[in-house]
């Protein structure tokens, strides 16, 4: 009896170890996101653009954030902003937000949606958008990566804006987004745990 119990324990322990290894492989495949950002300063503001995943796969949803900062007075009132992206990316409805670090609100319905950009009209809203010293403003939008995106080719992105202190046109400043090739899935196929363990049914 003791021998059988020990044997069962070894078998169970081996199965647990294999399951843990399989789960590690699955989590590695899911955690392939590679954020990227680019920053520049003009005479109006310091602008930082960040993409949540610069090497996404077709079907992934990514978030693009544009942050405006002021280091001196007076305040910058943003009138409008365009967020440029490749036409193979599709804007996720109701995802555009603007935040001053205290409150966040949606931009729609004051958002123009085109294949190559979305544009928020802040002058059309009842609440103005001000960039103050020590209080940056961020604009975020989410996009779904389409199957038509060229794999392995950097896709440009950027922004342009108009405000009370001037304008900026940076429609290809980045960050660049490169859709992963089909073979660059970032990990193993997410099949069932049973199939990874070899315990799935066979026909």
């Amino acid at each position: 009896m003791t021998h059988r119990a020990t044997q069962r324990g070894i078998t169970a322990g081996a199965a647990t170890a294999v399951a843990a290894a399989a789960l590690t492989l699955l989590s590695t495949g899911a955690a392939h996101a590679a954020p990227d950002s680019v920053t520049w300063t003009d005479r109006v503001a310091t602008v930082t653009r960040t993409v949540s995943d610069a090497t996404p796969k077709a079907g992934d949803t990514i978030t693009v954030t544009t942050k405006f900062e002021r280091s001196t007075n007076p305040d910058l009132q943003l009138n409008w902003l365009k967020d440029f992206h490749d036409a193979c990316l599709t804007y996720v409805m109701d995802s555009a937000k603007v935040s001053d670090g205290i409150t966040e609100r949606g931009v729609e319905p004051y958002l123009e949606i085109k294949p190559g950009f979305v544009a928020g009209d802040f002058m059309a809203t009842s609440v103005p958008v001000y960039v103050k010293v020590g209080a940056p403003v961020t604009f975020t939008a989410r996009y779904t990566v389409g199957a038509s995106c060229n794999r392995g080719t950097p896709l440009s992105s950027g922004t342009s804006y108009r405000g009370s202190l001037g304008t900026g046109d940076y429609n290809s400043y980045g960050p660049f987004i490169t859709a992963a090739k089909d073979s660059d899935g970032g990990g193993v196929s997410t099949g069932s745990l049973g199939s990874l363990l070899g315990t799935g049914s066979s026909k």
Side-chain angles (χ1 to χ4, degrees), residues 20-103:
L23 288 174
T24 299
L25 288 172
L26 286 173
S27 62
T28 300
H32 72 283
D36 194 15
S37 65
V38 60
T39 299
W40 66 90
T41 299
D42 61 16
R43 63 185 181 85
V44 174
T46 295
V47 184
T48 300
R49 280 177 51 82
T50 302
V51 59
S52 61
D53 189 357
T55 57
K57 302 188 303 295
D60 285 352
T61 298
I62 60 175
T63 302
V64 178
T65 303
T66 304
K67 180 171 68 173
F68 293 86
E69 298 175 278
R70 286 280 295 167
S71 58
T72 60
N73 291 317
D75 299 341
L76 163 65
Q77 181 178 2
L78 283 177
N79 298 341
W80 56 258
L81 174 149
K82 283 187 178 181
D83 191 77
F84 292 94
H85 58 83
D86 193 277
C88 73
L89 303 180
T90 301
Y91 168 71
V92 177
M93 296 301 295
D94 297 322
S95 68
K97 310 288 183 184
V98 62
S99 171
D100 60 5
I102 300 175
T103 60

Side-chain angles (χ1 to χ4, degrees), residues 21 34 92 98 110 117 126 131 140 180 184 189 203:
V92 177
V98 62
Y110 308 108
F117 68 84
S126 59
V131 184
T140 61
D184 298 337
S189 173
K203 295 181 180 180

Side-chain angles (χ1 to χ4, degrees), residues 150-155 177-179 181:
N150 291 328
R151 307 293 203 275
T153 301
L155 309 174
I177 300 165
T178 303
K181 297 179 182 178

